[in-house]
Amino acid sequence: MATEWSVRAITRAMLPILFVLTLVELGSGLVLDSFEATLLQFPSLLVLVPVTIGTAGNLGSVLAARLSTALHLGRLSFEPDDEVLAGNAVATIALSFTVFPAVGAGAWALSALVAETQLALATVLLVATASGAILAVLAVLVTVVATYAAYRFGLDPDDVVIPVVTNVSDVLGVVVLFVVVQIVV
């Protein structure tokens, strides 16, 4: 995978991707706007939004970096029995089960310190953990697909995958959080 390192080549590769990702982020804002009344009613959920989408993006970014490195080293094959791919995917999902409950507890504690909490700690933990688990699975899928697509199109996954994963995780984070809140609350 030879990459030309010039401003022109990087711009030619990244500009269309960044344009599409800008449109994706607009979708995230529209979903968040439709969720506004619920967020204002429950301050702990309002605190949860940026942390949840940021954490999902971070998990996907770490996975993207690991897969990109494995791809450059020739250790990633995108086969169903690929141990590097499976191990990293499982580790990312397992990590979400430790990180997102802490995120939920932190969001609840912060909202309890600053404002009146409308939701019980258990409810916020359930929302954060369920949202996080779903987002981790989705982040793994997006990361694998984006890494494979970058490889197939001859793009450097180091340049392409992390912006794609973080932007898509923003949108998915808002949508998943909204759906989980509608189910749980």
Side-chain angles (χ1 to χ4, degrees):
M1 171 182 334
T3 303
E4 181 185 344
W5 293 99
S6 69
V7 172
R8 181 182 204 105
I10 293 170
T11 303
R12 195 174 324 129
M14 292 302 298
L15 198 57
I17 293 168
L18 292 175
F19 177 74
V20 169
L21 292 176
T22 300
L23 297 176
V24 168
E25 284 294 331
L26 286 172
S28 176
L30 292 172
V31 171
L32 193 56
D33 185 52
S34 69
F35 192 33
E36 182 180 12
T38 305
L39 292 174
L40 293 175
Q41 181 182 359
F42 304 112
S44 49
L45 297 179
L46 185 60
V47 173
L48 202 56
V49 171
V51 181
T52 299
I53 63 178
T55 304
N58 291 342
L59 287 173
S61 296
V62 169
L63 178 61
R66 294 181 60 79
L67 293 183
S68 179
T69 299
L71 183 64
H72 286 302
L73 293 174
R75 297 189 61 227
L76 185 63
S77 65
F78 295 106
E79 297 295 325
D81 61 344
D82 188 343
E83 290 181 11
V84 171
L85 183 61
N88 281 296
V90 168
T92 300
I93 293 167
L95 185 59
S96 76
F97 283 104
T98 61
V99 171
F100 282 101
V103 164
W108 185 86
L110 184 62
S111 65
L113 279 173
V114 176
E116 184 178 320
T117 57
Q118 300 290 327
L119 295 175
L121 174 60
T123 303
V124 176
L125 286 174
L126 178 61
V127 168
T129 305
S131 298
I134 294 167
L135 283 170
V137 170
L138 294 173
V140 166
L141 292 173
V142 168
T143 303
V144 170
V145 168
T147 304
Y148 183 74
Y151 166 73
R152 294 296 292 168
F153 288 116
L155 300 170
D156 188 349
D158 288 325
D159 295 336
V160 176
V161 178
I162 290 177
V164 169
V165 170
T166 55
N167 280 270
V168 172
S169 291
D170 286 353
V171 175
L172 292 175
V174 172
V175 171
V176 167
L177 189 60
F178 179 73
V179 170
V180 169
V181 166
Q182 295 301 314
I183 293 169
V184 173
V185 178

